[in-house]
Amino acid sequence: MANFPELKGKVALITGAGRRKGLGEAMAIRLAAEGCKVIITDIAHAKGDEIPASAIGLQSEMDAVAADIRATGGECFALALDVLEEAQVKAIVDATIKRFGGLDILVNNAGIGYLMKPITELSITEWDAVLGVNLRGAFLCTKYAADHMIKQGRGGRIVNIASQAAKSGFPFAAAYCASKHGLVGLTRVSAIEFGKHGITANAICPNHVTTGLGAWQNEYFSEALGLTMEQYMNAMKSRIPVGRPGLPNDTAAACAWLCSDQATYVNGESMNVSGGEEYH
Ligand SMILES: NC(=O)c1ccc[n+]([C@@H]2O[C@H](COP(=O)([O-])OP(=O)(O)OC[C@H]3O[C@@H](n4cnc5c(N)ncnc54)[C@H](O)[C@@H]3O)[C@@H](O)[C@H]2O)c1
């Protein structure tokens, strides 16, 4: 589906996009279908107790996502990137520019949404891990990508994948909510600082999507609330005016539109993609 011809040939870098059924994968597929040259990145290896192999996109999975996109005619490459590591972020931005001659779109999608506990039980290590990936990582990628976009002088797009948890509080999700509220702040400052260069910065705030991370959250919250999975999912659906949880393609469509020329004057927004569940 190519709706925005102006995106053809644009170079898009997406973080945390190496997992099947993830929002990053869906955005990579969509931007590639729009004709973008897409670089998908992901941490690709487990890192301590806070970033276990079961919760991340490993190199093999990321390579498979990229291969699928290429098989449908898209231009896509996969590179390992731990967004916590400043030297890696800088190297990936440099490598992207060297390989593709520029960088037009950054999607800050990497996120940890599984270290959930009551505040009184959350360790500082867990807090730091969530704030690190969700906020420090987005800051580092924004810093190096925007610096290049400003120098190259052809505008650009920054899309931050925040969350409904950037607008509302959820129990046991202090670090996640704080990080996503913080990402909205980073988005607003990015919009102000980069707008004069033709670079817009916006956040997307999806509600629940049953990705790998979303499936983990379903298990956790249904158990915490003493509900069966069916009861939990039915309660969720009943809260959402359109009657279903989000799909990866809902976020991907919003992302493509924000990257298009249709959204040139949309800057500093935190756009709900939630079927009407979140509206402020
Ligand atoms: N699924 C939902 O319900 C939902 C709702 C709102 C927002 N989000 C946000 O969407 C984004 C994508 O999540 P998803 O649901 O597609 O889950 P996902 O698990 O598919 O994606 C998260 C990705 O982040 C990567 N990651 C973790 N630590 C990293 C690091 N240090 N460096 C680089 N990558 C790292 C993981 O490997 C994984 O691929 C996240 O920011 C999440 O908070 C998800």
Side-chain angles (χ1 to χ4, degrees), residues 16-24 42-43 51 55-57 81-84 109-112 133-134 161-164 176 180 206-214 217:
R19 268 186 116 184
R20 296 276 188 203
K21 297 185 184 165
L23 302 185
D42 211 310
I43 186 167
I51 307 184
I56 59 161
L81 168 63
D82 179 350
V83 296
L84 291 167
N109 172 70
I112 290 185
V133 175
N134 296 7
I161 306 306
S163 171
Q164 184 178 19
Y176 189 71
K180 295 298 187 179
N207 64 340
H208 177 77
V209 188
T210 304
T211 58
L213 184 157
Q217 290 176 345

Side-chain angles (χ1 to χ4, degrees), residues 116-135:
M116 301 218 172
K117 286 180 183 171
I119 291 173
T120 51
E121 292 170 24
L122 189 70
S123 74
I124 194 63
T125 313
E126 291 162 333
W127 169 275
D128 285 346
V130 177
L131 270 288
V133 175
N134 296 7
L135 197 48

Side-chain angles (χ1 to χ4, degrees), residues 182-216:
L183 191 53
V184 167
L186 177 65
T187 304
R188 290 175 177 154
V189 176
S190 301
I192 294 166
E193 291 192 10
F194 308 144
K196 61 178 173 290
H197 301 287
I199 302 162
T200 64
N202 293 286
I204 298 175
C205 299
N207 64 340
H208 177 77
V209 188
T210 304
T211 58
L213 184 157
W216 185 94

